[in-house]
Amino acid sequence: MRRTMTYIRVTALLTTSVLTAASVGTIQSHAADDPPGTEPSASAPVKVDPNDPDLKLPDGATLAQAKVLDIKSVVEEQSGDERREDTNTSVTLALQAEVLFGKDSSKLGAEAKSRIRGIAEEIRNQNATRVRVFGFTDNLGSSAHGDVLSKRRANAVHDVLSQSLDDAGITYEVRGYGEQYPIADNATEAGRKKNRRVEVSFPRSEP
């Protein structure tokens, strides 16, 4: 069984030295705890009239160009083993570490490699030339150990992807973030299980 969630995030920015987000009801477009380098961007579909009296701009404030930064659909397996995020610009596939590796290991089994080859096929279908592979752990154990383990696991997934795609035109960014950027509560085992993951993200092809 799969659960599907859709998020729409929109922001309009105002340039002024004193204007705050609260004064214009800004909706935050990107969570502060998302990994760097994953910020979405897209053109706004509508124009905003800077002279509209309903904007109630303070004296001296000017309206910057409006942008729709992210429209996100999330599909997660009921077991939580796999999570897919689709935005208007990119695809992110997250696999729990238990699906790919043994405990405290970065060695991939045959079934894990088969899953990763399936991701490689989608990357090929999207004609993606830039792929990010990020590893994450929970907050158990030392932070230094988590950093090392998450990078080793990201490297292992990258190796299978690059071998499967065999395309010198693809650029990879491989990082291990350890316990940073959790997607669930580390206070429970269910949450920690979700946080132990490897994410593969790549841009969508132009329509």
Side-chain angles (χ1 to χ4, degrees), residues 103-116:
K103 184 176 181 180
D104 207 31
S105 171
S106 58
K107 183 177 181 180
L108 291 163
E111 183 178 348
K113 291 179 179 179
S114 177
R115 281 179 177 254
I116 297 168

Side-chain angles (χ1 to χ4, degrees), residues 120-128 205:
E121 186 62 28
E122 180 156 3
I123 293 171
R124 182 180 292 110
N125 291 340
Q126 291 288 348
N127 297 314
S205 58

Side-chain angles (χ1 to χ4, degrees), residues 134-146:
F134 294 164
F136 306 87
T137 63
D138 58 28
N139 66 346
L140 298 181
S142 72
S143 177
H145 177 72

Side-chain angles (χ1 to χ4, degrees), residues 2-3 23 28 35 47 49 62 64 70 78 80 82 85 115 126 130 134 137 139 158 167 198 201 206-207:
R2 295 185 175 186
R3 293 176 293 177
S23 66
Q28 292 298 323
K47 293 183 178 180
D49 181 4
T62 57
D70 199 9
Q78 186 66 37
E82 187 169 341
E85 295 184 2
R115 281 179 177 254
Q126 291 288 348
R130 179 170 51 87
F134 294 164
T137 63
N139 66 346
H158 160 259
D167 187 342
V198 176
S201 60
E206 293 294 332

Side-chain angles (χ1 to χ4, degrees), residues 57-76:
L57 299 181
D59 291 340
T62 57
L63 186 67
Q65 182 180 3
K67 293 182 180 180
V68 174
L69 296 185
D70 199 9
I71 300 175
K72 179 185 292 185
S73 173
V74 179
V75 178
E76 185 177 85

